[in-house]
Amino acid sequence: MANCKETIRELDAFLDDELPADVRDHIHQHLGECVDCHQAFDFQAELKLAIRRKCSTDELPDGLLGRIEMCFDADFDGDGVIGPVDGR
C-alpha cells in the first residue's frame, strides 16, 4: 500500500507513466483516498501542462542540443552527428 511519502516521491514518474503497473495501482488508490496527496498530484499535473504549453514553441539556444547529445552520447535530432554540427 502506498503511503504519502512514497506517493509524493513517485508523482513525477506516475504522471509520466513510468511506474510498474502494481506501483501505479497502489499510488492511484492512495490518491483516491488522500486529499493532501491528491492536491499535490493536481498541482504537479497542472505545472507540467503549463510548462509544456509555455515551452513547446521555444527554440533551443544554439549548440544546446549538441551539448546535451555529447553528455548522453546519443544522436537526439537524427542528424547522424553527436554534438554540435558546427563544432561549437
Side-chain angles (χ1 to χ4, degrees), residues 55-69 76-77:
C55 298
S56 64
T57 59
D58 291 351
E59 291 189 30
L60 292 174
D62 288 340
L64 178 60
L65 182 58
R67 292 191 303 273
I68 293 170
E69 288 180 335
F76 293 121
D77 58 4

Side-chain angles (χ1 to χ4, degrees), residues 13-29:
F14 181 83
L15 284 164
D16 293 338
D17 201 20
E18 297 173 343
L19 295 173
D22 61 328
V23 175
R24 186 169 177 75
D25 291 344
H26 285 120
I27 290 176
H28 188 265
Q29 181 180 353

Side-chain angles (χ1 to χ4, degrees), residues 2-34 37-46 48 52:
N3 61 30
C4 293
K5 188 175 181 178
E6 175 187 351
T7 298
I8 298 300
R9 185 181 64 240
E10 299 291 355
L11 274 182
D12 277 330
F14 181 83
L15 284 164
D16 293 338
D17 201 20
E18 297 173 343
L19 295 173
D22 61 328
V23 175
R24 186 169 177 75
D25 291 344
H26 285 120
I27 290 176
H28 188 265
Q29 181 180 353
H30 181 81
L31 290 172
E33 299 169 351
C34 180
C37 287
H38 195 267
Q39 287 176 340
F41 167 80
D42 284 344
F43 174 81
Q44 197 80 350
E46 285 296 319
K48 281 183 173 273
R52 186 177 299 124

